[in-house]
Amino acid sequence: MKMKAYSLLLLLFIVTIGLIGCSNDSDSENGNEKQDDGSTGEETEAETSGGTLNLSIGQQPNTIDPLVTTATATAYAAKPIFETLVTVNENYEVVPMLAESFEESEDGKSIIFKLRKGVKFHNGNEMTADDVLASMNRWLEMSQQASASIPGAKWEKIDEETVELQLEKPSSIALYTVAEQNQVAAIMPKEIAESATEAGAEEYIGTGPFEFVEWKTDQYIHYKKFDDYQSRTEPASGLAGEKKALVDEIYWNFVPDESTRISGLISGEYDISIGVAHDNVKQIEENEGIQPEIWTYGKELLIFNKQQGVFADKNMRQAVNAALDFEGVLRASFGDEQFYELEHGLFTPEIVNWYSDAGKEMYNQQDPELTQSLLEEAGYDGEEIVILTSREYPHYYNAAVAVQQQLEKVGVNAKLDVFDWATLLDRRSDPELWDIFFTGWDTQVIPHGYNFLDSKAEYPGWTNSPELDQYLEDISNATSQEEATAIAEQLQEEFWDYLPLIILGLFKNTDGYSEKVQGFQNFIGPVLWNVSVEE
């Protein structure tokens, strides 16, 4: 059977990253200085600094087993411990991690993963194909994304160093699904994977650069450097490439109160604080020795109820889209422009395999004449529009207020219904109770990660588009990335026509960190390898 070898692509990737490292001095998104990966083999003083990294975060996870939940708190806490067969680089391209290489069959129904030799678990045992098989079979059972994207898939052991993913039909998104960072396909010892229950694994043992030590409820998770960690040698990129445990220990402290996290950052008790309100960034900037890390989290979305009410009519949805000043809404939501960005795409430009300009002409139109024409076509006669919102998330609430005011200016009768967030989540499941609500969506690596596109997902708003469903299926069945990318462009064009929701733009989260910390960055959450702390 003819195979498409990955080795050449891997070589090209390494060369490309090297060239980028030579031609760029800084990270274009986060403004972090790139670390010199070096080719001399000599470690800098910072790289051998050791010591302890103290991090504070507001949310405590229910588990550190990433297969049990889609919660961000678990995904973040699991990242230093667990690794996957493949992962994504800074361009969100799939590259090997625990796999040495992978090959796809010509018919697209098989992917063979050659495993790296000498990789050890934190218990000292070497990773084998049996461990991988047990872990991946558990992932198939537990992962929502796996069941939706590659139904009927099977894993088989070829030999002690090789496993195979068998697909019922060709899938351009199978590798992305294995690399997914939501319910991540963590590789753990066979006995732990097979004994795990629905509540999770009994032990947290992976192959990552840090190993789990203890979890003191409501206090901290303690990690330590894994001395036998076997790193890849390619330059670090996104979640891929070289990983170095440059500190001896990490304390992942649970600090629900933000002011306490900031005070601890200022005093030096914490080296990094995850989750800083935009209003408090100036406080960090004004304190010597600490600085903010502002990074793109995802999209600010206006969701339409398409099941019933005025927005069941596409013309009415398009009328709202034509009326709004998106930058005005984002400014009201986030204040300073450093915390938001105008962007029409389902994906950002960094996600090179999926980004498209399709539909850009429909974005941020601010066209009063078109608005009135569409309102007339929809037969709008002053019906009340209910905007569901909550003050618990100020940027959603501020967006709701701004949209209400802008709609009233074009003659749309809009009313705010304000509830606590838990009540909002309950009410949005009833199509009789609302017409618009606001939410955010974090970075996805494939179109299928956006549930609001899929009629079968029944996400609140209730998309019902045979065209979007067909494009999603066609992307899955594509036999090459080039074909899948072209179909994704058509999908995005259809998205802006059908308009299940409005992408208002990108919004950014903020963390704070000490200037003693070197190499810290966010990529789908905090990355703590290749990070050192000066004494």
Side-chain angles (χ1 to χ4, degrees):
M1 182 167 54
K2 183 179 177 183
M3 311 296 282
K4 295 178 287 184
Y6 178 83
S7 56
L8 178 58
L9 291 176
L10 181 60
L11 177 61
L12 291 173
F13 166 72
I14 295 170
V15 172
T16 301
I17 293 299
L19 292 173
I20 291 172
C22 293
S23 61
N24 292 291
D25 294 328
S26 63
D27 185 297
S28 61
E29 179 178 350
N30 294 322
N32 288 332
E33 185 176 336
K34 287 189 180 291
Q35 302 302 302
D36 182 5
D37 293 290
S39 57
T40 64
E42 298 178 1
E43 292 187 327
T44 66
E45 182 178 350
E47 289 179 331
T48 59
S49 64
T52 300
L53 178 68
N54 276 288
L55 176 147
S56 66
I57 191 167
Q59 301 81 27
Q60 178 172 213
N62 294 325
T63 176
I64 313 178
D65 183 343
L67 279 180
V68 175
T69 176
T70 60
T72 298
T74 292
Y76 286 4
K79 190 180 292 186
I81 302 172
F82 296 107
E83 295 181 308
T84 51
L85 285 175
V86 293
T87 190
V88 290
N89 63 22
E90 62 189 12
N91 292 323
Y92 294 84
E93 297 164 315
V94 178
V95 295
M97 177 48 67
L98 291 176
E100 182 61 39
S101 62
F102 57 80
E103 295 177 328
E104 298 179 74
S105 64
E106 187 175 5
D107 65 5
K109 296 173 67 175
S110 168
I111 307 173
I112 292 180
F113 299 85
K114 210 70 173 167
L115 304 179
R116 288 167 55 200
K117 298 178 181 179
V119 173
K120 289 187 177 181
F121 288 112
H122 300 149
N123 61 8
N125 296 334
E126 189 167 329
M127 181 188 74
T128 68
D130 290 327
D131 300 308
V132 173
L133 190 64
S135 298
M136 298 312 292
N137 281 333
R138 179 171 179 247
W139 171 75
L140 281 179
E141 294 175 3
M142 300 285 289
S143 169
Q144 298 172 13
Q145 190 68 59
S147 61
S149 299
I150 48 173
K154 296 180 181 179
W155 288 89
E156 296 289 345
K157 174 183 172 181
I158 303 301
D159 57 38
E160 295 304 319
E161 298 173 359
T162 314
V163 296
E164 179 183 20
L165 175 58
Q166 298 175 352
L167 304 169
E168 286 190 338
K169 57 184 179 180
S171 174
S172 68
I173 63 170
L175 280 167
Y176 288 100
T177 306
V178 178
E180 174 65 52
Q181 293 301 301
N182 194 339
Q183 287 190 294
V184 61
I187 303 300
M188 55 188 69
K190 177 178 184 288
E191 62 274 15
I192 293 177
E194 291 184 342
S195 65
T197 67
E198 290 186 1
E202 294 182 358
E203 295 180 84
Y204 303 127
I205 295 177
T207 61
F210 294 94
E211 58 181 295
F212 173 82
V213 178
E214 66 172 336
W215 181 352
K216 287 200 171 183
T217 304
D218 298 326
Q219 295 184 53
Y220 60 75
I221 299 172
H222 178 201
Y223 311 81
K224 71 175 182 179
K225 176 180 180 178
F226 180 38
D227 290 330
D228 291 330
Y229 178 66
Q230 299 296 310
S231 175
R232 295 196 69 92
T233 58
E234 301 91 351
S237 173
L239 300 178
E242 187 176 41
K243 297 180 181 180
K244 293 181 179 180
L246 300 182
V247 294
D248 295 328
E249 297 180 296
I250 298 173
Y251 281 88
W252 189 274
N253 299 282
F254 308 124
V255 186
D257 182 66
E258 183 190 352
S259 62
T260 304
R261 295 200 300 275
I262 293 177
S263 297
L265 187 65
I266 293 171
S267 70
E269 180 179 3
Y270 306 124
D271 302 301
I272 300 171
S273 286
I274 303 297
V276 175
H278 295 153
D279 291 344
N280 292 325
V281 169
K282 187 173 182 181
Q283 180 184 2
I284 291 177
E285 292 174 335
E286 290 175 347
N287 275 274
E288 187 176 353
I290 60 174
Q291 59 190 44
E293 160 81 352
I294 301 171
W295 58 285
T296 300
Y297 173 80
K299 296 168 177 57
E300 184 93 338
L301 305 177
L302 180 160
I303 311 289
F304 292 114
N305 174 2
K306 299 169 290 300
Q307 187 171 113
Q308 65 183 67
V310 296
F311 293 120
D313 187 327
K314 183 177 75 172
N315 288 318
M316 194 66 189
R317 303 196 295 272
Q318 291 288 6
V320 172
N321 186 54
L324 296 181
D325 170 5
F326 291 10
E327 185 163 14
V329 175
L330 291 171
R331 191 183 308 112
S333 300
F334 301 106
D336 196 302
E337 63 183 9
Q338 68 180 319
F339 303 128
Y340 67 85
E341 184 178 342
L342 289 169
E343 174 54 61
H344 77 290
L346 289 165
F347 297 93
T348 59
E350 293 79 12
I351 305 177
V352 296
N353 283 335
W354 301 110
Y355 183 73
S356 170
D357 278 337
K360 191 172 185 177
E361 70 281 359
M362 303 288 288
Y363 181 76
N364 198 26
Q365 297 172 84
Q366 302 180 54
D367 188 332
E369 291 184 8
L370 178 59
T371 300
Q372 293 305 317
S373 174
L374 288 165
L375 288 173
E376 290 177 12
E377 287 188 52
Y380 179 68
D381 193 28
E383 293 91 340
E384 184 177 75
I385 289 173
V386 175
I387 301 176
L388 200 57
T389 190
S390 172
R391 286 189 174 90
E392 290 183 29
Y393 288 89
H395 62 102
Y396 296 152
Y397 177 76
N398 293 338
V401 171
V403 166
Q404 178 199 31
Q405 293 172 348
Q406 291 187 22
L407 290 180
E408 287 181 341
K409 287 182 180 179
V410 297
V412 175
N413 179 19
K415 165 199 170 186
L416 295 184
D417 265 10
V418 184
F419 299 94
D420 63 85
W421 188 249
T423 301
L424 183 150
L425 294 178
D426 183 59
R427 291 179 70 87
R428 77 179 189 181
S429 64
D430 187 341
E432 295 186 359
L433 299 180
W434 63 278
D435 297 294
I436 288 173
F437 80 91
F438 294 81
T439 192
W441 214 280
D442 61 356
T443 299
Q444 300 295 307
V445 297
I446 55 174
H448 304 68
Y450 294 115
N451 290 350
F452 53 74
L453 296 175
D454 188 348
S455 303
K456 298 186 294 295
E458 297 187 355
Y459 180 78
W462 302 282
T463 293
N464 184 16
S465 169
E467 292 80 11
L468 290 176
D469 293 340
Q470 187 62 55
Y471 284 130
L472 288 172
E473 184 175 347
D474 290 346
I475 290 170
S476 295
N477 296 337
T479 57
S480 69
Q481 182 61 57
E482 292 76 13
E483 181 185 355
T485 301
I487 299 169
E489 185 167 358
Q490 295 174 290
L491 178 143
Q492 187 165 294
E493 193 78 49
E494 178 61 28
F495 165 86
W496 280 104
D497 180 61
Y498 174 78
L499 209 69
L501 53 84
I502 295 175
I503 300 172
L504 294 166
L506 301 175
F507 72 93
K508 303 186 180 186
N509 282 354
T510 305
D511 303 328
Y513 66 100
S514 167
E515 291 182 351
K516 293 181 179 180
V517 175
Q518 301 295 316
F520 173 63
Q521 64 170 331
N522 273 282
F523 188 89
I524 318 179
V527 177
L528 299 182
W529 52 82
N530 303 333
V531 175
S532 61
V533 182
E534 297 176 357
E535 295 296 328

